[in-house]
Amino acid sequence: WSYTLEKPNTGSIYNIAWSIDGTQLAGACGNGHVIFAHVVEQRWEWKSFEITLIKRRTMEVHNVINDAVDLLEFRDRVIKASLNYGHLVVSTSLQCYVFSVKNWNTPLIFDLKEGTVSLILQAERHFLLVDGGGLYLYSYEGRFISSPKYPGMRTDILNAQTVSLSNDTLAVKDKADEKVIYIFEALSGKPLGDGKPLTHKTEIVEIALDQKGLTSERKIAFIDKNRDLYITSVKRFGKEQKIVKIGTMVQTLAWNDTSNILCGIQDTRFTVWYYPNTVYVDKDLLPKTLYENEASEFSKNPQIVHFIGNLITIRRADGSLIHLNISPYPAILHEYVSSSKWEDAVRLCRFAKDQTLWTCLAAMAVANKEMATAEIAYASIGKIDKVQYINSIKDLPSKESRMAHMLLFSGNTQEAETLLLQTGLIYQAIQVNINLYNWDRALELAVKHKTHVDTVLAYRQKFLEDFGRKETNKRFLQYAEGLEVDWNKIKAKIEMEIAKERERAAASPAVRA
């Protein structure tokens, strides 16, 4: 779209060139003069503040609540600025200024190594400056934090779609191999976890880190070349983390600044994922945690500018801005859950009478192992089978068994089995595999630990009899040779195992608590 039209009185302009920082323009004129132009009237908005660059070295701050106006004067011309999280960060050709929205009179000022800052990104605790020399993280007090580096780093092509910053993590998309995302610890600048970058199967177009919650639960969302939206955890210690697809034909995305709510424009629909972590807890619930709205008013190729509180700002292809409001309840629910105020969360859902909210609460409760709340939430959305399973988990004798069955509830079979084996609950690990019809694994565990081989064979025999089938598995035929199944004996053995687990749980009250 056209920002402005100028008709200078200089004859035809034969050639133009931008300065490297993109703030000045020079033109060769037909009358032999050289014309210089500067970009002004850039605008930044955050909550009740509107900031406009009115001259090369002057900004006007307008607070729309009380109509107060402040003028900010700079020694050199303004090159880049960013307004977010209660701070305005301005880079000039020589210095960086950090203003707090509470006080415009006393900015914090420090000198820059290079004057050509090409990108400023902000998080709640710190901000990132990108210039020709590298990536630099600073606190809002002006303290240098770190300078992450990676092989083949080219800072001139980095932009807000290919770099993302949160309170503890920095993610950068590689240019040489566009399937790779480098993830760094913000405070040290070192690669996160085992040092390996995150690799996807196709080229990645846009990345975004969530802003809230624990470092261990930090998630990254990204859109690939096929316009599919994926989410995965940034913590990767050898174990291959699941990269899960949560959307298709997604053009643009943004995380909320105060809670882990994700929004995006998906094909012809504007979509908000109120709790994207649902895919790791109970993926059947994910479609019910979404808010969707018609997006035809945004025309072609809209971009989400920011998602602050419950207000989303979208820029259409013609440059106009559209503001959308979403329900404030999901953000309040996130706040209650992060503070472990489960009773308040249930009260909020009862007040709102919204199935989407109940579904989010069910997933949040399971993720936080809060089974009493999960039971109430699942009952409210009519998932009676899940309520019954949660009740059966609550009746298990030991903490380890309960933990393992919660992992099973979320579909993490391997982790559940590992937990049971590590805590010496061999029979329970075998029984889990029997219940899931993983017969080979159940027999393998029984043989390896020299226990309950007859139990596995008995359940296998009963399973085949129920379906009128004959045994064809060679391993089962080998161990079943000459073995008489006595169900009374097997039941007695199972009861002994459960009694042993109860005794063990009673003997270690600290662990049980």
Side-chain angles (χ1 to χ4, degrees), residues 258-489:
T258 54
S259 51
N260 290 339
I261 299 173
L262 179 68
C263 73
I265 295 171
Q266 191 174 208
D267 204 5
T268 56
R269 298 181 316 283
F270 169 72
T271 308
V272 181
W273 289 263
Y274 284 139
Y275 187 55
N277 198 39
T278 307
V279 289
Y280 292 107
V281 179
D282 185 349
K283 60 175 178 282
D284 301 342
L285 294 182
L286 186 68
K288 292 174 183 169
T289 62
L290 305 184
Y291 163 77
E292 291 189 314
N293 203 352
E294 185 59 41
S296 54
E297 62 177 306
F298 307 141
S299 71
K300 268 189 168 182
N301 301 325
Q303 286 296 314
I304 296 171
V305 181
H306 39 63
F307 181 9
I308 292 168
N310 55 336
L311 183 73
I312 296 148
T313 307
I314 295 169
R315 190 180 292 282
R316 298 196 335 178
D318 62 2
S320 58
L321 291 173
I322 294 175
H323 300 283
L324 289 177
N325 270 307
I326 60 163
S327 165
Y329 295 137
I332 299 168
L333 185 67
H334 273 272
E335 200 179 308
Y336 283 151
V337 168
S338 63
S339 314
S340 297
K341 295 178 179 172
W342 296 102
E343 286 178 14
D344 290 345
V346 170
R347 213 171 289 130
L348 175 72
C349 292
R350 284 182 176 144
F351 168 75
K353 297 184 179 68
D354 182 0
Q355 289 290 293
T356 308
L357 220 54
W358 277 117
T359 310
C360 290
L361 180 61
M364 289 170 177
V366 173
N368 288 279
K369 315 281 188 283
E370 186 62 40
M371 299 321 268
T373 309
E375 190 183 342
I376 296 166
Y378 274 111
S380 300
I381 56 173
K383 299 277 181 186
I384 305 306
D385 53 333
K386 306 253 168 106
V387 174
Q388 286 175 335
Y389 189 67
I390 290 166
N391 273 323
S392 71
I393 291 175
K394 283 157 75 177
D395 293 338
L396 291 168
S398 71
K399 184 188 175 186
E400 292 84 355
S401 270
R402 288 195 291 275
M403 288 284 287
H405 280 269
M406 282 182 214
L407 287 167
L408 276 176
F409 187 90
S410 302
N412 301 317
T413 316
Q414 193 57 52
E415 286 93 328
E417 186 195 283
T418 307
L419 176 65
L420 291 169
L421 292 173
Q422 280 172 352
T423 50
L425 299 171
I426 310 300
Y427 161 69
Q428 284 78 354
I430 292 168
Q431 191 61 51
V432 159
N433 281 294
I434 291 171
N435 293 346
L436 294 170
Y437 305 114
N438 290 343
W439 297 111
D440 288 324
R441 181 64 182 155
L443 185 62
E444 188 186 322
L445 287 174
V447 171
K448 184 180 173 183
H449 295 280
K450 300 186 175 69
T451 179
H452 286 283
V453 176
D454 55 342
T455 308
V456 178
L457 293 169
Y459 275 107
R460 170 78 171 180
Q461 192 179 318
K462 186 175 181 298
F463 166 74
L464 292 170
E465 281 170 6
D466 288 347
F467 288 94
R469 304 278 295 277
K470 286 199 168 184
E471 185 60 82
T472 53
N473 189 314
K474 285 178 185 173
R475 287 203 72 195
F476 278 91
L477 287 168
Q478 177 193 337
Y479 285 103
E481 224 169 274
L483 187 81
E484 193 66 45
V485 171
D486 185 344
W487 275 104
N488 292 329
K489 251 185 175 179

Side-chain angles (χ1 to χ4, degrees), residues 170-336:
L170 172 70
V172 185
K173 181 171 81 85
D174 191 11
K175 182 64 185 169
D177 181 358
E178 299 205 350
K179 298 175 185 175
V180 170
I181 302 170
Y182 290 103
I183 297 168
F184 303 94
E185 280 178 18
L187 295 178
S188 65
K190 292 176 180 166
L192 194 70
D194 55 10
K196 290 178 186 170
L198 170 65
T199 308
H200 187 50
K201 54 182 187 287
T202 51
E203 288 83 358
I204 294 162
V205 177
E206 187 174 344
I207 65 173
L209 285 163
D210 66 5
Q211 297 298 313
K212 285 303 209 185
L214 302 169
T215 312
S216 57
E217 293 168 9
R218 181 72 56 236
K219 298 282 186 293
I220 185 166
F222 59 87
I223 302 171
D224 69 9
K225 194 176 69 173
N226 302 326
R227 291 284 158 195
D228 291 331
L229 173 61
Y230 291 85
I231 188 169
T232 187
S233 174
V234 298
K235 282 275 182 190
R236 310 164 75 75
F237 290 98
K239 190 184 81 171
E240 194 54 42
Q241 184 65 43
K242 282 190 290 190
I243 298 178
V244 188
K245 184 157 109 175
I246 59 169
T248 55
M249 297 305 291
V250 180
Q251 297 164 42
T252 175
L253 80 158
W255 286 97
N256 186 260
D257 65 330
T258 54
S259 51
N260 290 339
I261 299 173
L262 179 68
C263 73
I265 295 171
Q266 191 174 208
D267 204 5
T268 56
R269 298 181 316 283
F270 169 72
T271 308
V272 181
W273 289 263
Y274 284 139
Y275 187 55
N277 198 39
T278 307
V279 289
Y280 292 107
V281 179
D282 185 349
K283 60 175 178 282
D284 301 342
L285 294 182
L286 186 68
K288 292 174 183 169
T289 62
L290 305 184
Y291 163 77
E292 291 189 314
N293 203 352
E294 185 59 41
S296 54
E297 62 177 306
F298 307 141
S299 71
K300 268 189 168 182
N301 301 325
Q303 286 296 314
I304 296 171
V305 181
H306 39 63
F307 181 9
I308 292 168
N310 55 336
L311 183 73
I312 296 148
T313 307
I314 295 169
R315 190 180 292 282
R316 298 196 335 178
D318 62 2
S320 58
L321 291 173
I322 294 175
H323 300 283
L324 289 177
N325 270 307
I326 60 163
S327 165
Y329 295 137
I332 299 168
L333 185 67
H334 273 272
E335 200 179 308
Y336 283 151

Side-chain angles (χ1 to χ4, degrees), residues 15 32 103 125 149 418 458:
N15 206 340
N103 181 4
R125 293 183 199 152
K149 289 180 172 58
T418 307

